[in-house]
Each structure stands twice: as structure tokens, then as C-alpha cells.
Amino acid sequence: PLQVPAGALPAVWEGLTRLRNLDGLVITMPHKEAVVPLLRALGPTATLTGTVNTVRRRAEGGWEGEMFDGEGFRDGLERSGHSPRGASIFQVGCGAAGRAIAFALARAGAARLTLRDAEPVRARQLAERLVQGWPELKVSTEAKDPAGYDIVVNATPMGLRPEDPLPLDPAALSPSQVVADVIPNPEVTPLIAAARQIGCATVTGRAMHEGQARLAAAYLGIEGWEA
């Protein structure tokens, strides 16, 4: 891992480009949007979301990137036995990973998707783009709690640190719901722990991490790799 402070990526990128034996990188926050102007080409999901989490060197020069957070989340959800097709989904967080997840859920056939974000305008902008691409999908930014939804998604970083507040009130959850988190470490976040205590089925951030890792490995030409 390379620890690059926010704002320093352009300077670091010049050095990385000079490394002759570096063929690819996985990008994490806070650089998933900042890396985009440094690339010569974007894959379809990266173009759609304006975010990137994996880059590879192009034979003709420069770098290209793609975003696998969303499809990795969808893959982890399905491998855990919970298909988003036809489901009503409540998602908190519309940042880089959240945008990718929302588009992946729409592609997978979700019936209803409600978005919530600390910056309401970000949720509304994402909702507008989803409606443009999937007019049959019912998209809303109005609901404040997850009561009554099939799947509840935390796509925020809340839970990375012990002092973080919960991304939503677990009192609104019921045992029939599936609760999924994007945070791989700690794997059992306070939200996942609270959901399990209520009796909800849960999908941890490890499932998403392994799902996107499989896709990123294939993109980087690493054959025979399995999380």
C-alpha cells in the first residue's frame, strides 16, 4: 500500500508513471475521483460514475481506469444469497462507492431504490442520473429511515473508526431485512452487529471487497486468482 495524502496524487502520479515495472494499481479513497483527470481512457462504469478504483497501463502509453466497487458489491450480495432483482433497497451514502453501487443495483434489476446522503444534493443528482438510465426503476430521496425495505445498504465510511456514529438508526430495522455494509475492516461494524442482534441477515464489507478484487484482478490480467 502507498499512503498518498489528499491533494498529492498528481505529484505522486508523475513518479509512478516512471516506474517501468508498475502495470496497475488499485485506488481507494480519497483518490477515486481525483485520479480520473490523470487517465487517458475510462471504462464504461468509470465513465458513468466519474470514479475509478482500478487502473492499468496502456500498451500505447498512459493509463486507463475502471470502477469495480459497485459490481463487487452486487457480486458479494448475490454470492451471499441475496439477489437485488425485484428488491426494494434503502441506500445510505452517494459518494464514489455509493454511486457505483447504485448503478450496479439498477443494472441488476432492483425495483425500488431510495437514496440518502449527508449532502442531499448529491443524492438528488444521483437519483436523476438513475432515472435517465433506468426509467422503470422507482427512485426516491425522500425516506429518512429503512423501515419496510428488503435490503438496507451502508455505502458510507461510517464504521471505519470506533468513534463513528451509526449511518442509520437500527431501531427502524426488522428481522426480515438484509443489511449490507461496505466496510471490510472491521468486518463486523457496529451496524452489522446491531442488525444481527435484531435478527437481520447481514452481508459484510468483506463480501464486497472480495467481489471487486476478483473483477480488478481480471482487469489487471491476473489469471487463476480467487478471493
Side-chain angles (χ1 to χ4, degrees):
L2 306 175
Q3 296 185 9
V4 180
L9 188 62
V12 171
W13 201 257
E14 183 177 353
L16 293 175
T17 299
R18 294 174 183 270
L19 298 177
R20 295 181 180 179
N21 65 333
L22 179 63
D23 294 323
L25 289 160
V26 173
I27 307 293
T28 190
M29 60 181 189
H31 306 301
K32 293 180 181 181
E33 295 173 88
V35 73
V36 172
L38 305 175
L39 307 177
R40 290 196 183 172
L42 298 176
T45 301
T47 300
L48 189 64
T49 64
T51 60
V52 164
N53 81 333
T54 308
V55 300
R56 63 186 180 189
R57 199 184 294 267
R58 289 155 43 101
E60 60 269 41
W63 301 83
E64 60 188 353
E66 183 58 298
M67 170 52 104
F68 296 113
D69 281 352
E71 290 302 326
F73 178 86
R74 188 266 317 149
D75 179 73
L77 195 64
E78 292 180 347
R79 285 174 183 253
S80 300
H82 308 292
S83 174
R85 180 166 297 279
S88 61
I89 303 172
F90 183 89
Q91 177 179 315
V92 185
C94 301
R99 292 202 296 276
I101 288 170
F103 285 118
L105 294 173
R107 276 194 296 261
R112 181 161 63 109
L113 182 57
T114 295
L115 303 170
R116 199 183 84 188
D117 193 87
E119 299 179 24
V121 66
R122 191 158 64 173
R124 290 195 295 270
Q125 289 172 344
L126 176 56
E128 290 170 2
R129 295 193 65 189
L130 287 164
V131 169
Q132 291 171 2
W134 293 270
E136 72 284 359
L137 175 65
K138 296 178 181 178
V139 185
S140 172
T141 59
E142 300 303 318
K144 302 302 180 186
D145 67 64
Y149 290 82
D150 299 320
I151 301 173
V152 179
V153 179
N154 173 38
T156 79
M158 287 188 280
L160 276 171
R161 300 170 299 181
E163 66 272 20
D164 285 344
L166 286 168
L168 54 88
D169 185 359
L173 298 174
S174 61
S176 63
Q177 293 175 296
V178 177
V179 177
D181 208 325
V182 302
I183 295 171
N185 187 24
E187 183 176 358
V188 180
T189 61
L191 175 62
I192 291 294
R196 288 178 177 177
Q197 189 170 14
I198 291 166
C200 302
T202 61
V203 181
T204 70
R206 180 173 180 173
M208 169 184 164
H209 178 75
E210 292 179 351
Q212 67 89 19
R214 281 187 286 269
L215 295 167
Y219 183 75
L220 295 173
I222 303 172
E223 299 179 0
W225 186 89
E226 181 68 21

